[in-house]
């Protein structure tokens, strides 16, 4: 079936906090989105000579949401926070974003993002491998982040940083999360509007302690 293919989706940054990913084999994952409906997903795996990674993009469905709804990013500046393998940033690029920054503190994630841009025949976009929460905030039309609320202290810092983005620059914020307790029990829940919920495939559920869905939320403080 004809359509766009986003390769390398399994290359992400490590999550040392997550036992579910310990011992995972390195892999590159590709999905093919039908050019008309953009909903047909096909997976393949290829071994790569890189350190073990947590393919958190398997849990984060924001990239699918952006491919299904390109108007969300078309012509806009987009920050992909905690970018990992860059799947969401690449989906934003494919959907017509005018400016993109992929941010992840792990330098190997930066290598993975550049590789995935090459695999998807895209010109590379800027990558920042510093903790952006410690830097002066830039103006973005849209900030996207996925599966980042895995630690209470980080969740509190993210919440404050995202509120500052919203109130200072009127930035729209989309959050993808598979229902981790640190997120579902956080006070940010009172400031979220559910956009869509996706079912996770059975292998992903087994590998992640029974997580069954991934939801995309619109942050509205």
């Amino acid at each position: 079936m004809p359509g766009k293919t986003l390769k390398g989706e399994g290359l992400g940054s490590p999550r040392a906090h997550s036992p579910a990913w310990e011992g995972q084999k390195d892999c590159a994952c590709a999905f093919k989105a039908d050019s008309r409906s953009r909903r047909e997903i096909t997976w393949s795996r290829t071994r790569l000579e890189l350190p073990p990674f947590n393919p958190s993009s398997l849990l984060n469905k924001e990239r699918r949401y952006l491919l299904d709804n390109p108007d969300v990013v078309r012509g806009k500046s987009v920050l992909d926070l905690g970018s990992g393998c860059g799947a969401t940033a690449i989906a934003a690029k494919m959907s017509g974003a005018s400016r993109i920054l992929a941010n992840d503190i792990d330098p190997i994630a930066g290598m993975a993002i550049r590789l995935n841009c090459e695999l998807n025949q895209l010109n590379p976009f800027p990558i920042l491998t510093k903790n952006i929460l410690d830097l002066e905030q830039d103006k973005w039309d849209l900030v996207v982040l996925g599966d980042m609320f895995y630690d209470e202290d980080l969740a509190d810092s993210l919440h404050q940083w995202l509120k500052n983005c919203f109130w200072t620059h009127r930035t729209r914020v989309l959050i993808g999360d598979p229902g981790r307790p640190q997120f579902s029990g956080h006070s940010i829940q009172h400031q979220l509007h559910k956009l869509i919920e996706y079912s996770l495939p059975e292998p992903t559920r087994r590998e992640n302690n029974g997580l069954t869905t991934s939801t995309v939320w619109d942050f509205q403080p």
Side-chain angles (χ1 to χ4, degrees):
M1 180 177 294
K4 292 182 178 179
T5 300
L6 194 161
K7 300 179 181 178
E9 209 178 350
L11 291 175
S13 58
R15 297 283 193 261
H17 63 281
S18 177
W21 296 111
E22 290 180 1
Q24 286 281 333
K25 299 298 183 182
D26 310 322
C27 65
C29 298
F31 75 81
K32 178 172 288 187
D34 181 84
S35 59
R36 290 159 296 182
S37 68
R38 300 195 177 200
R39 289 196 172 96
E40 173 117 3
I41 305 297
T42 304
W43 292 95
S44 64
R45 292 179 178 268
T46 306
R47 287 296 303 276
L48 293 175
E49 296 302 323
L50 287 172
F53 280 91
N54 164 20
S56 59
S57 63
L58 300 179
L59 297 176
N60 175 22
K61 297 298 185 180
E62 280 182 300
R63 48 108 173 105
R64 176 174 169 182
Y65 180 77
L66 297 185
L67 289 172
D68 288 348
N69 300 274
D71 288 344
V72 171
V73 296
R74 185 178 292 122
K76 295 182 172 64
S77 59
V78 179
L79 168 64
D80 184 11
L81 184 61
S83 189
C85 68
T88 303
I90 290 173
K93 181 78 170 178
M94 286 180 164
S95 298
S98 61
R99 181 166 71 101
I100 296 172
L101 176 65
N103 170 237
D104 198 292
I105 62 172
D106 195 304
I108 301 179
M111 294 168 55
I113 294 169
R114 284 188 285 271
L115 173 62
N116 290 335
C117 285
E118 181 180 343
L119 288 173
N120 286 281
Q121 300 180 335
L122 294 175
N123 292 328
F125 38 75
I127 301 166
L128 177 67
T129 55
K130 296 180 180 179
N131 187 347
I132 201 169
L133 303 186
D134 296 334
L135 305 179
E136 183 178 350
Q137 284 188 342
D138 198 358
K139 185 181 186 304
W140 298 96
D141 296 320
L142 176 67
V143 172
V144 292
L145 63 155
D147 199 16
M148 288 283 287
F149 286 75
Y150 52 81
D151 174 84
E152 290 184 7
D153 290 339
L154 176 60
D156 290 341
S157 297
L158 279 170
H159 189 197
Q160 185 59 51
W161 193 87
L162 294 171
K163 283 194 295 185
N164 289 342
C165 273
F166 182 90
W167 290 116
T168 303
H169 302 297
R170 308 306 297 179
T171 300
R172 187 180 186 187
V173 178
L174 298 183
I175 301 173
D177 193 86
R180 297 196 187 280
Q182 296 92 334
F183 183 70
S184 58
H186 197 274
S187 59
I188 197 173
Q189 288 291 320
H190 303 295
Q191 300 170 325
L192 299 175
H193 170 70
K194 182 188 287 188
L195 294 176
I196 193 166
E197 184 175 84
Y198 298 100
S199 294
L200 296 173
E202 188 57 37
T204 305
R205 296 184 185 195
R206 289 195 301 267
E207 292 170 358
N208 289 277
N209 302 316
L211 297 175
T212 59
T213 61
S214 183
T215 303
V216 179
W217 302 90
D218 197 353
F219 179 53
Q220 300 176 350

